């Protein structure tokens, strides 16, 4: 019985870690400027400091696009930890 829970938890952990890696790689590979902010010599940090509304809206839209991947990874991670509670408590007891 515990073997099945351990295997399911391991699969949830693996899937969660893959989703976290996909999320991180998508964040790292995207360009720093949005399509509307392609001004010469203007960096993302400068636009953020100026509180440029179009830049902030573009960043928010990109974060909203990535939210389902992050939510799925977090949910699978929580499920995996709950599946591991029984075997961990039994082995500690």
């Amino acid at each position: 019985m515990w073997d099945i829970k351990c295997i399911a938890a391991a699969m949830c952990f693996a899937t969660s870690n893959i989703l976290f890696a996909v999320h991180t790689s998508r964040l790292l590979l995207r360009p720093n400027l949005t399509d509307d902010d392609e001004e010469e010599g203007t960096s993302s940090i400068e636009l953020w400091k100026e509180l440029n509304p179009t830049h902030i809206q573009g960043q928010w839209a990109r974060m909203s696009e990535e939210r389902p991947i992050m939510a799925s990874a977090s949910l699978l991670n929580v499920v995996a930890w709950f599946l591991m509670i029984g075997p961990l408590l039994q082995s500690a007891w």
Side-chain angles (χ1 to χ4, degrees), residues 6-60:
C6 290
I7 292 170
M11 292 183 69
C12 285
F13 277 128
T15 308
S16 172
N17 287 336
I18 289 170
L19 287 174
F20 277 126
V22 167
H23 173 72
T24 303
S25 67
R26 288 181 69 168
L27 287 179
L28 292 176
L29 294 177
R30 70 179 186 191
N32 288 333
L33 296 175
T34 60
D35 295 337
D36 299 334
D37 298 330
E38 292 180 1
E39 301 171 8
E40 291 294 325
T42 306
S43 70
S44 178
I45 295 172
E46 291 171 358
L47 291 171
W48 187 260
K49 286 181 181 177
E50 293 175 3
L51 295 176
N52 186 348
T54 56
H55 177 71
I56 294 172
Q57 285 175 345
Q59 293 294 327
W60 188 261

Side-chain angles (χ1 to χ4, degrees), residues 1-2 5-6 9 79-93:
M1 179 67 178
W2 294 117
K5 287 186 178 182
C6 290
V79 168
W81 278 110
F82 277 120
L83 288 173
M84 282 298 293
I85 287 175
L88 285 175
L89 288 177
Q90 184 182 17
S91 64
W93 200 262

